[in-house]
Amino acid sequence: MGYVEGFVTAVPAANKEEYRRHAAAAAPLFREFGATRFVECWGDDIPDGKVTDFRGAVKAQEGEVVVLSWIEYPSKEVRDAANERMMSDPRMRNMMDSMPFDGSRMIFGGFATLLDE
């Protein structure tokens, strides 16, 4: 059924266009490494929670917007191989050195597809 790697991070609102360009440059690399879909979503309606929420999960600060992203792969094996290639590819290393947000506050994980309708 496929495999999804999800990401949530906080991006300074002033960096929206820079973030979009950064993601647009990364998308072809992820596809080259085996991704079938690459999605970036700019937070539009992120409510504060009573116990936890997206903003708290990434320690979003004043002036930052929560971004939700995911990358789809045909399988976990393809995702794992893609991640290995990314870590050794100089193009990805250069992109990671110039991210328009604080990557240390990003949360991410891999998910096996349970339902896809």
Side-chain angles (χ1 to χ4, degrees):
M1 280 184 83
Y3 199 77
V4 175
E5 189 159 39
F7 306 85
V8 179
T9 195
V11 178
N15 291 357
K16 182 178 183 179
E17 183 54 27
E18 184 180 355
Y19 182 86
R20 190 202 61 74
R21 284 192 306 268
H22 185 83
L29 296 176
F30 282 97
R31 287 196 180 273
E32 178 184 325
F33 299 149
T36 57
R37 190 170 182 214
F38 183 91
V39 180
E40 295 282 346
C41 304
W42 191 256
D44 182 65
D45 183 16
I46 311 295
D48 291 333
K50 292 183 181 180
V51 176
T52 190
D53 59 33
F54 280 108
R55 293 187 61 76
V58 295
K59 294 183 168 51
Q61 300 167 5
E62 184 70 31
E64 291 184 325
V65 175
V66 174
V67 173
L68 169 68
S69 310
W70 70 90
I71 305 169
E72 297 178 15
Y73 294 94
S75 67
K76 184 176 190 290
E77 293 76 23
V78 171
R79 189 284 308 250
D80 291 348
N83 281 345
E84 275 189 42
R85 287 183 64 194
M86 281 183 263
M87 292 304 151
S88 63
D89 191 297
R91 297 170 297 174
M92 288 301 294
R93 270 191 257 126
N94 289 339
M95 292 185 86
M96 291 168 72
D97 289 342
S98 63
M99 294 188 305
F101 62 94
D102 179 0
S104 71
R105 292 185 283 137
M106 176 188 289
I107 60 172
F108 59 91
F111 300 84
T113 304
L114 183 62
L115 179 67
D116 184 356
E117 291 199 30

